[in-house]
Amino acid sequence: MSNIREPILQPVPILSLRPTQMTVGMREVKEKRKRWREHKSKRKQAELLGKHMIPVVLGPDQKHYVVDHHHLARALHDEGVKDVLVTVIADLTMVDQKAFWSVLDHRRWAYPYDGKGERRQFKDIPKSITGLKDDPYRSLAGEIRRAGGYAKDITPFSEFLWADLFRRRLARKDVENDFASAVERALAIAKSKDAIYLPGWCGPASDG
């Protein structure tokens, strides 16, 4: 099995991409849409697409399963982009269809958790980027990382692990109704010893 990243230069329709998670942070999506619109010329937009290819796993049904950049894919779709370039990080066409999702799960290429942080069945994962639901805690986790609350980490779905910490500590209505205040509170949580087990933790080395 090849795990070499192989760019597919033939554009792939965004609507044909299959998500491997259930939610995104819609604030994150809106921010990426804003950045896309700042690249006004077609040439600039083409350059951006070339630099941000969507990593996918090729499934036994020959479909492309997105393993990262769900937010970017959704943002591009919402901005009217029809096709994207993808990078195949693994070819799983030989895997039995019934075993496919279990293989993705064990390789940490799937995250079947809903907006409440509860694990769901693989069949509940949306069939299209358009079916991704909003998880405000995922937006909060992204904002906290950008604010230096924790470091970017290669651990798969690390932002969702941080989102779950904030989910347990902050009421959803508070995050939705006063995001700035939620960011302030979440930053303190991120720097505390309670978060020391999470990927990218960079809180104080000591309490002194």
Side-chain angles (χ1 to χ4, degrees):
M1 185 191 309
S2 173
N3 280 326
I4 299 172
R5 288 177 177 257
E6 301 169 0
I8 295 179
L9 299 181
Q10 186 72 26
V12 173
I14 289 183
L15 289 178
S16 74
L17 297 176
R18 295 290 300 269
T20 56
Q21 63 193 50
M22 303 185 71
T23 66
V24 288
M26 284 303 176
R27 278 179 174 266
E28 298 263 286
V29 171
K30 287 178 181 176
E31 182 61 31
K32 290 184 183 299
R33 291 183 66 180
K34 179 183 174 184
R35 289 206 290 271
W36 171 258
R37 286 195 296 270
E38 288 170 356
H39 294 77
K40 296 190 185 339
S41 73
K42 294 293 184 185
R43 183 179 65 82
K44 289 277 190 183
Q45 290 180 348
E47 286 177 1
L48 190 67
L49 290 176
K51 289 177 182 175
H52 295 85
M53 289 184 286
I54 307 293
V56 299
V57 168
L58 192 59
D61 52 6
Q62 301 297 319
K63 294 186 185 299
H64 298 101
Y65 289 79
V66 179
V67 295
D68 198 3
H69 298 337
H70 284 79
H71 290 78
L72 176 61
R74 176 59 184 264
L76 291 172
H77 170 268
D78 290 352
E79 284 298 308
V81 177
K82 303 296 184 187
D83 304 294
V84 290
L85 298 176
V86 299
T87 302
V88 177
I89 66 166
D91 181 346
L92 297 184
T93 51
M94 76 296 296
V95 176
D96 184 84
Q97 186 70 52
K98 292 181 179 178
F100 176 65
W101 280 104
S102 292
V103 173
L104 286 185
D105 198 20
H106 283 94
R107 295 291 293 271
R108 303 181 81 179
W109 285 331
Y111 194 78
Y113 292 82
D114 63 18
K116 296 180 180 178
E118 297 175 356
R119 187 176 175 96
R120 301 282 293 274
Q121 295 185 52
F122 296 127
K123 66 181 178 61
D124 295 326
I125 295 175
K127 304 292 192 294
S128 166
I129 292 295
T130 60
L132 293 166
K133 304 295 186 185
D134 181 32
D135 180 356
Y137 294 98
R138 174 60 183 80
S139 291
L140 183 60
E143 189 63 31
I144 295 306
R145 180 175 62 78
R146 281 190 294 276
Y150 63 96
K152 191 171 180 62
D153 191 275
I154 62 170
T155 303
F157 305 106
S158 58
E159 289 92 346
F160 280 107
L161 297 177
W162 282 94
D164 283 337
L165 172 66
F166 303 140
R167 195 188 317 277
R168 295 192 297 270
R169 299 301 185 85
L170 303 171
R172 183 174 179 127
K173 61 180 174 57
D174 292 340
V175 177
E176 292 176 329
N177 296 338
D178 192 346
F179 194 73
S181 177
V183 167
E184 192 174 326
R185 293 164 64 191
L187 270 171
I189 294 169
K191 293 293 186 181
S192 73
K193 291 293 180 66
D194 292 341
I196 198 169
Y197 67 95
L198 287 170
W201 184 80
C202 52
S206 68
D207 294 326

